[in-house]
């Protein structure tokens, strides 16, 4: 009789691998925006325009974080709960702490 | 009789020039942290560690924004109010809109 | 042979019941602070003092939300994943959407 | 010869008096929403619905704060700068600190 217990996901992958290229492209774009802010300050751009750019980068980073968190809940936290290896509670506490940092930052 | 009306600040400088080097250094550090996030995703770092790093960058950017905004109120907005050239109201509306974007981002 | 499958939590309780009294006490305090803001505006209190009070209420509400979210992950989401009744994905999406609203509000 | 120097605003009014009724109405509505959150927890409402309500109250409070801050810049800070009584710098620092608390809360 074959086991129906699913194998846990590979410990080397952290779950968001499928979208990795998309995350990397978004982060490259954010890096470019970050360099743009540096250039704006260096060239004495108008304060308000710099603030607008900072708000855009902050919002873009938050969206990346929310995407990674959703992936984390779907993969790491789900696996910890499903395979019941006693790490579920610690995983949820860790995720809640990360959510609190995001909400307060 | 000499005039006591102060001359408005130079239109090319946007007020934060005195701290410019410090802003540029902070933004360089933030850029480095941004590249670090890209590398972490590329190397399949643990989700929670990436989220911690994103919260740090977001908080650092917010602090830069708050510093620039304080400078903006002290210089541009103050000048617009003091020289009473009819732009004060528009300047305050512009600043309030930028504050709203920061609070909501 | 007895089953080792745990029974799902009661559908009427939503998991945070154990701390309910504490949540209710915190919310009562927040309501009092809310009435205080109304009174401050009514009595022409100094703007900055009202803003300080609003920041305090907002932070207190966020902490209640983070506590409820942690409870939700520990109970509802964990149960949905553990009893594998096909609702786990929907539960996680719902939680992620709520997290995004908190981060953006 | 009549003086053209404008009189400073009354020290008892804090500038937002014109919109006071509107602010009071908005705060009354927010208080009602606050009581609604208490009732939802008391009646074991679904966590996610409570979180949605908390996000709504938080956003409503933030909008009140942004309105009060705009009024404060337009009236108190503008008066402090215009009448050049040496309090301008302290007023701006105070406003910047309040903005920082809003952004970080």
């Amino acid at each position: 009789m074959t086991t129906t217990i699913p194998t846990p996901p590979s410990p080397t992958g952290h779950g968001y691998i499928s979208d990795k290229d998309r995350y990397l492209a978004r982060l490259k774009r954010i890096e470019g925006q970050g360099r743009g802010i540096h250039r704006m300050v260096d060239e004495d751009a108008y304060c308000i325009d710099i603030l607008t750019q900072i708000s855009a980068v902050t919002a873009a980073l938050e969206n990346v974080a929310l995407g990674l968190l959703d992936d984390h809940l779907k993969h790491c936290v789900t696996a910890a709960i499903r395979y019941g290896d006693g790490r579920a509670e610690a995983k949820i506490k860790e995720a809640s702490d990360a959510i609190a940092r995001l909400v307060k930052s």
Side-chain angles (χ1 to χ4, degrees), chain A:
Chain A
M1 183 190 155
T2 56
T3 176
T4 58
I5 297 166
T7 50
S10 150
T12 55
H14 284 303
Y16 54 82
I17 206 81
S18 61
D19 276 334
K20 192 166 146 176
D21 287 348
R22 208 162 61 87
Y23 279 120
L24 290 174
R26 287 164 76 181
L27 287 166
K28 268 283 168 239
R29 205 158 43 236
I30 290 168
E31 279 179 57
Q33 289 176 299
R35 279 192 304 274
I37 294 169
H38 187 279
R39 192 167 46 241
M40 288 172 94
V41 171
D42 196 28
E43 296 175 354
D44 294 327
Y46 184 48
C47 263
I48 297 291
D49 295 336
I50 304 174
L51 294 178
T52 302
Q53 196 61 14
I54 291 178
S55 292
V57 171
T58 301
L61 277 171
E62 266 175 13
N63 283 328
V64 167
L66 290 168
L68 289 172
L69 185 68
D70 182 59
D71 286 342
H72 182 67
L73 293 175
K74 273 188 205 141
H75 297 98
C76 294
V77 175
T78 295
I81 292 168
R82 192 165 289 153
Y83 302 108
D85 52 1
R87 290 176 308 131
E89 205 177 329
K91 283 279 171 205
I92 288 172
K93 177 160 181 18
E94 190 185 59
S96 289
D97 290 348
I99 294 164
R101 282 192 298 271
L102 281 177
V103 168
K104 287 165 196 281
S105 78

